[in-house]
Structures are given as structure tokens and as C-alpha cells.
């Protein structure tokens, strides 16, 4: 991590974990079974949102007071892992290897219209509870760290020879970082739409992109809303897979069920009923019994969704349990790529939510 990132994470720690005692750093690297780094995995203390995410190299670090903690490691596509960690009088390091998610199911059962009956049953339950979860929390505050990066992956060779590479600081293959941003904000919300955001620290470097999500409010998205909007991405919003009228737009397939720390997690594939409807493709993960969203891993494409500027946008979001009956987003990530006049680019924005407090006034 660079100095600015370390500074912001230090500020994040100060705002989210009161320094009533000496603190020590818990750090490590998260990998898969092939020892490949898992970027942007969530790492947090169980029953809280105090924590962080890994960087591009799968490395994480955050501060803890002496004590014993259940540390949760999560990322879409892998089984959640919980490790008991004891912090004494020195820094600690814990490397974690995560297992690929394994979802099992019985034989497929479909109705006369070819619909997966198990998936339909699950999603009808989730849709029925949409409004309850949407309005469950009347007000809250949290600290949100946002990081973004956009890089050029290739450029027309003819233009590289004309000095474009030097101006944009690209290598001989037309690759280079175009833009980076980081910010830390206090974010307050009160239903139905009263938002107050105070920036604590921020920095931006490089060429200002055509669209950006540098603030917490830019990245705010709720799949319990009937329509999910992404500012600047499209002239229209997209129907949530749990919207009141979602069955008109989506068919669902139960990929399988996984046991995750005592919970049944259903992995549901989203299938568009019509190729050009304003809908997502991908997967939604459901906590069985509670019928709430556990995580999403969704995609929008320019071909199907008429996006502005980008070819694909991948949206991942993870929810964590804050208290017995309340779950809130721990992170949200937008990954995108595109091609404009032969300039190929890709980038991401990730928001990390910490230190939720409920029943607050904005």
C-alpha cells in the first residue's frame, strides 16, 4: 500500500475503533487453493463491520486492541472462513487460504413453463420480504472508504508513435494508470432519502475520467429498491432481481445450496426473460429461512443494456450481520472495461463500510 492508502486506513481505524488501549496490526495475505491472490476480499470482526479489504495483491492489515476475536474472511465465489485470533502484545500475521464455493442440489424440477420450481419458491419468498428489509433500518451512520482506479490496457500503435504514450505515461504496449482516487467519509442516512456526507480525507491523481464514484453517496446502491440505478452508466435504471415485479423480467435457476457457518446459502442464477430488458445477469445469494440477500455478483453489458462509455460493468456486494436481525452492506465493488476509438481500458471502484451506528439523526 502507498503512503496515502496507509494514512487513510489509519484514519479509518481511528474513526471506527476507539483507542482505549494500545493497538497492534493484524495482517496477512488471502489466496485461493492455487496460491493466487484474492483481491478485495472482506476481512472483518464477526458481528461488526470493523475491518478492511485486501488490496490488489490479496494483502490486508488493520489494527486491533489486545483480545480474542473471530475474524471473518469473505469473498463472492469462496466459502466464508472464520478464524479465532488472539492479539497479545505484538503485531500478528495470519495468511488464509480460501476454498472455492461448492453448491449442491438435488435433480432439477421444472414446471410446465420450464421454470425451476425450487428457485421460484426461494425468490418468491425473498420478493415477499423486500419491503420489510428495505425499511428495516430507519437511520444509520457509518464510515466509508472508497478507492478507485482506471488504467489503459492498450492503445492504437499509430497514436503511440505520435507522442500519446509520453503524454499519458504509458509503456511501449500502451498500458498505464490513468486515474486513481481514495476518500474517507462520514456517511449519515435517515429514511426515506435524507443523506449527509462529510469528507474526512480525499485525494485524486491522473486524468479525470468521464464518470467516477469518488464519494460514498456515488456508490450507494440498494438491491431492495425496485430499481437499481448507477449514476452516469445508463439513461435508465435496472430492475432489481428482488423487485415487486421481478418475475415479469427474470427467470431463476437454483445452482445449489451451500452450508456456511450454520446457514444455508442458496445460489440463484438470474436469467433474463427478454434479451434487451433493463435487467442484470449473474448470481444472487440468499440466506435461506431469513430470505434475505447474502451477496450479489451481477453483470451489465452494453450489448444488452445500452450502457454509456463501458462495455461491461460487474457489480459485487456483500452483506454482513451487524446484530441478530440486522444485516448491512460490508462492501460494494464496481469493475468495468471498455473500448473507445481503440483505447482499451478497465477499472474499479470499491467502497468499504465500517462502524455502523443505528437510530442516529442526520
Amino acid at each position: 500500500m502507498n503512503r496515502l492508502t496507509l494514512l487513510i486506513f489509519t484514519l479509518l481505524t481511528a474513526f471506527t475503533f476507539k483507542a482505549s488501549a494500545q493497538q497492534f496490526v493484524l495482517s496477512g495475505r488471502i489466496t485461493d487453493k492455487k496460491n493466487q491472490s484474492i483481491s478485495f476480499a472482506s476481512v472483518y470482526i464477526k458481528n461488526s463491520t470493523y475491518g478492511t479489504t485486501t488490496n490488489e495483491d490479496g494483502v490486508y492489515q488493520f489494527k486491533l486492541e489486545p483480545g480474542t476475536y473471530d475474524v471473518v474472511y469473505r469473498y463472492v465465489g469462496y466459502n466464508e472462513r472464520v478464524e479465532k485470533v488472539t492479539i497479545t502484545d505484538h503485531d500478528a500475521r495470519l495468511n488464509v487460504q480460501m476454498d472455492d464455493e461448492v453448491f449442491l442440489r438435488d435433480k432439477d424440477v421444472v414446471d410446465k413453463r420450464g421454470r425451476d420450481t425450487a428457485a421460484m419458491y426461494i425468490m418468491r419468498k425473498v420478493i415477499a420480504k423486500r419491503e420489510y428489509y428495505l425499511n428495516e433500518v430507519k437511520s444509520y451512520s457509518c464510515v466509508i472508504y472508497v478507492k478507485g482506479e482506471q488504467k489503459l490496457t492498450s492503445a492504437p500503435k499509430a497514436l503511440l508513435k505520435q507522442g500519446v504514450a509520453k503524454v499519458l505515461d504509458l509503456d511501449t504496449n500502451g498500458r498505464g494508470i490513468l486515474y486513481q482516487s481514495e476518500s474517507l467519509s462520514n456517511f449519515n442516512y435517515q429514511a426515506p432519502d435524507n443523506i449527509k456526507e462529510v469528507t474526512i480525507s480525499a485525494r485524486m491523481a491522473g486524468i479525470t475520467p468521464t464518470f467516477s464514484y469518488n464519494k460514498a453517496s456515488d456508490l450507494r446502491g440498494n438491491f431492495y429498491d425496485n430499481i437499481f440505478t448507477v449514476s452516469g452508466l445508463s439513461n435508465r435504471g435496472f430492475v432489481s432481481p428482488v423487485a415487486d415485479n421481478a418475475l415479469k423480467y427474470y427467470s431463476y435457476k437454483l445452482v445449489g445450496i451451500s452450508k456456511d457457518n450454520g446457514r444455508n446459502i442458496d445460489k440463484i442464477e438470474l436469467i433474463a426473460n427478454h434479451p434487451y430488458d433493463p435487467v442484470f445477469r449473474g448470481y444472487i445469494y440468499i440466506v435461506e429461512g431469513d430470505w434475505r440477500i447474502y451477496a450479489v455478483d451481477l453483470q451489465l453489458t452494453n450489448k444488452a443494456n445500452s450502457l454509456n462509455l463501458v462495455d461491461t460493468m460487474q457489480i459485487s456486494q456483500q452483506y454482513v450481520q451487524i446484530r441478530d436481525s440486522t444485516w448491512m452492506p460490508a462492501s460494494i465493488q464496481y469493475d468495468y472495461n471498455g473500448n473507445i476509438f481503440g483505447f482499451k481500458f478497465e477499472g474499479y471502484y470499491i467502497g468499504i463500510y465500517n462502524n455502523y451506528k443505528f437510530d442516529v439523526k442526520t
Side-chain angles (χ1 to χ4, degrees), residues 128-147:
K129 297 204 71 170
R130 179 199 70 82
E131 191 170 357
Y132 171 80
Y133 288 130
L134 177 65
N135 299 309
E136 181 181 21
V137 177
K138 302 300 181 184
S139 64
Y140 68 87
S141 67
C142 62
V143 178
I144 304 181
Y145 168 70
V146 177
K147 182 179 181 180

Side-chain angles (χ1 to χ4, degrees), residues 306-319:
S306 300
L307 306 181
N308 298 325
L309 304 173
V310 303
D311 293 332
T312 64
M313 174 73 82
Q314 195 83 19
I315 302 175
S316 300
Q317 189 173 40
Q318 298 187 77
Y319 289 76

Side-chain angles (χ1 to χ4, degrees), residues 68-209:
T68 299
Y69 303 88
D70 289 324
V71 182
V72 182
Y73 299 85
R74 272 188 63 189
Y75 191 69
V76 173
Y78 297 87
N79 289 333
E80 178 180 297
R81 183 163 172 175
V82 181
E83 295 289 335
K84 192 170 290 292
V85 175
T86 297
I87 302 296
T88 55
D89 58 354
H90 55 80
D91 294 344
R93 184 171 180 84
L94 179 61
N95 296 327
V96 171
Q97 190 174 77
M98 300 186 72
D99 295 325
D100 293 341
E101 62 183 6
V102 177
F103 287 85
L104 304 175
R105 70 164 296 175
D106 295 329
K107 64 180 181 179
D108 293 342
V109 179
V110 298
D111 63 15
K112 293 180 180 180
R113 296 173 60 184
R115 297 177 301 182
D116 184 325
T117 55
M120 292 294 290
Y121 171 82
I122 292 166
M123 294 309 297
R124 286 182 188 278
K125 289 283 190 180
V126 178
I127 292 168
K129 297 204 71 170
R130 179 199 70 82
E131 191 170 357
Y132 171 80
Y133 288 130
L134 177 65
N135 299 309
E136 181 181 21
V137 177
K138 302 300 181 184
S139 64
Y140 68 87
S141 67
C142 62
V143 178
I144 304 181
Y145 168 70
V146 177
K147 182 179 181 180
E149 179 178 290
Q150 185 178 108
K151 58 185 178 182
L152 205 63
T153 57
S154 70
K157 292 183 178 180
L159 292 178
L160 291 178
K161 295 178 181 179
Q162 297 175 21
V164 171
K166 185 176 182 179
V167 172
L168 298 180
D169 194 22
L170 307 178
D171 65 16
T172 55
N173 293 314
R175 296 174 301 200
I177 303 242
L178 297 176
Y179 175 78
Q180 291 179 313
S181 67
E182 292 180 280
S183 69
L184 188 69
S185 301
N186 271 325
F187 184 84
N188 292 267
Y189 168 81
Q190 190 167 23
D193 55 8
N194 188 4
I195 293 173
K196 180 181 179 182
E197 181 177 357
V198 178
T199 301
I200 302 166
S201 177
R203 73 109 186 183
M204 289 177 283
I207 301 171
T208 303

Side-chain angles (χ1 to χ4, degrees), residues 220-240:
R220 180 175 174 265
N222 193 337
F223 284 96
Y224 288 116
D225 283 325
N226 282 318
I227 300 294
F228 188 98
T229 58
V230 183
S231 178
L233 185 65
S234 175
N235 298 326
R236 59 181 182 175
F238 304 96
V239 178
S240 168

